[in-house]
Amino acid sequence: VIVWVSVAALLLLYVCFNAMPQRWDVILEGLVILVCVAQGIYGILQYAGLVPPRSTFPVVGCFDNPAGFAACLAAGFPFCLKKLPKGKCWQWGLVMCGRVVIPVAIVMSGSRAGMLSIVLVSAVCLYDKYSRIRKPLIATAIFVAGVLLLAALFFLKTGSSLGRLQIWEASIAMVGEHPLFGGGAGLFLANYMPHQAAFFAADPSKGWPLLADNVAHPFNEYLLILIEYGIAGLSLLLFAAFVMLRNRRWSTTQGLCLLAIGVFACFSYPLRYPFVWVVIAYAMATIGTGRCVTMVT
């Protein structure tokens, strides 16, 4: 039921944003940045010990864990990369605050998915800006930096990384039960723990049982869709993304928002948070109506 309510809410938001006059885009995007900056400052104050955390994690903002905190900041960060018109001092100040506060807050939260998301969208911006000058050099530098960043993030929390790999490996075995159309919403939560027990029983040499926990999500939204909605569901999602973002629309702020969320979704669960759904609906609506014309800088 929750899944269908979420989809219905997404469609309703899409319709509302689609009908919204273009002049309101600046106001809405400014509100997104303002919320993210306020959230980031809240997290930084938690890190500094000036504000008590809301959970056992030191930096979570208004959320219950760093994943939600970083997911929302990463979703809003691309709006801070847009090119601003001259003479708009309040926009310039807000965007510059976002460019500083959001990355700092994400790093302090320790969210590797968040770090990877904002680095990737920043790299796309740099590539779009400088590729006409030295395209091969920029592309090579971004690729090498990306590989080094992935390795660094993996070893930053080795135990967590290995545990996540174990969860993915155990989860993939669930795909074979209902490969085409999946087993329906809630299948992962209901059936994962028995699969994990069978996974360890079949190969005790894995040596990772101590990293296991009461897992409620595979830490990968695409894998969750594949398990619960099968190849058909995942193919439909990827096809929709391809149709929407063809013709190099990644280099718009709205395209980068979807890219940031898409990257984050490879390693966490951003779709659990309403703010992310709002940003997705807005990005889809502006791309669908051709209003995403402002190139990032």
Side-chain angles (χ1 to χ4, degrees):
V1 176
I2 295 177
V3 174
W4 294 113
V5 170
S6 300
V7 173
L10 176 66
L11 294 176
L12 180 61
L13 285 170
Y14 175 85
V15 172
C16 292
F17 289 138
N18 191 62
M20 186 177 67
Q22 185 173 0
R23 65 180 181 273
W24 291 7
D25 289 347
V26 174
I27 298 175
L28 184 59
E29 292 175 10
L31 287 174
V32 170
I33 299 173
L34 182 61
V35 169
C36 289
V37 168
Q39 194 69 231
I41 292 174
Y42 188 15
I44 292 172
L45 293 176
Q46 289 175 336
Y47 184 85
L50 300 176
V51 175
R54 295 168 55 89
S55 71
T56 56
F57 299 98
V59 179
V60 295
C62 293
F63 298 85
D64 58 350
N65 62 64
F69 175 75
C72 293
L73 295 189
F77 180 69
F79 291 111
C80 301
L81 301 177
K82 63 181 180 179
K83 184 182 294 184
L84 295 177
K86 296 181 180 180
K88 301 290 186 179
C89 294
W90 69 271
Q91 291 185 43
W92 186 89
L94 186 60
V95 165
M96 293 307 297
C97 284
R99 291 182 181 183
V100 175
V101 170
I102 292 176
V104 170
I106 288 178
V107 170
M108 287 182 174
S109 74
S111 171
R112 292 163 295 170
M115 297 178 203
L116 186 62
S117 295
I118 62 173
V119 168
L120 182 58
V121 297
S122 300
V124 172
C125 291
L126 292 175
Y127 180 79
D128 186 71
K129 185 174 183 178
Y130 296 108
S131 61
R132 297 179 182 178
I133 303 174
R134 295 181 178 179
K135 187 173 183 178
L137 179 62
I138 296 296
T140 302
I142 289 176
F143 176 78
V144 173
V147 172
L148 294 176
L149 177 62
L150 281 173
L153 293 177
F154 181 89
F155 290 107
L156 181 64
K157 297 179 182 177
T158 306
S160 175
S161 300
L162 292 176
R164 199 155 297 189
L165 289 174
Q166 172 258 302
I167 292 172
W168 290 349
E169 188 173 352
S171 299
I172 289 174
M174 301 177 65
V175 177
E177 296 181 353
H178 309 278
L180 189 56
F181 297 106
L187 177 69
F188 179 86
L189 181 60
N191 294 349
Y192 174 77
M193 294 310 293
H195 276 79
Q196 179 177 264
F199 175 77
F200 287 132
D203 189 1
S205 64
K206 290 292 185 182
W208 300 345
L210 293 178
L211 299 175
D213 200 351
N214 187 20
V215 179
H217 195 283
F219 294 97
N220 186 308
E221 297 284 10
Y222 308 104
L223 183 54
L224 180 65
I225 292 173
L226 190 60
I227 293 171
E228 299 190 344
Y229 301 100
I231 296 173
L234 183 60
S235 299
L236 182 62
L237 173 67
L238 296 178
F239 177 75
F242 170 77
V243 171
M244 183 166 295
L245 292 169
R246 67 188 186 280
N247 300 328
R248 298 187 73 248
R249 288 178 175 174
W250 289 113
S251 54
T252 64
T253 53
Q254 293 83 358
L256 289 179
C257 284
L258 296 180
L259 178 62
I261 295 169
V263 172
F264 202 101
C266 292
F267 308 97
S268 193
Y269 37 86
L271 298 184
R272 284 192 173 187
Y273 303 99
F275 181 83
V276 174
W277 285 85
V278 173
V279 172
I280 291 174
Y282 173 73
M284 289 172 58
T286 50
I287 290 173
T289 56
R291 304 199 321 250
C292 56
V293 294
T294 304
M295 302 300 291
V296 295
T297 181

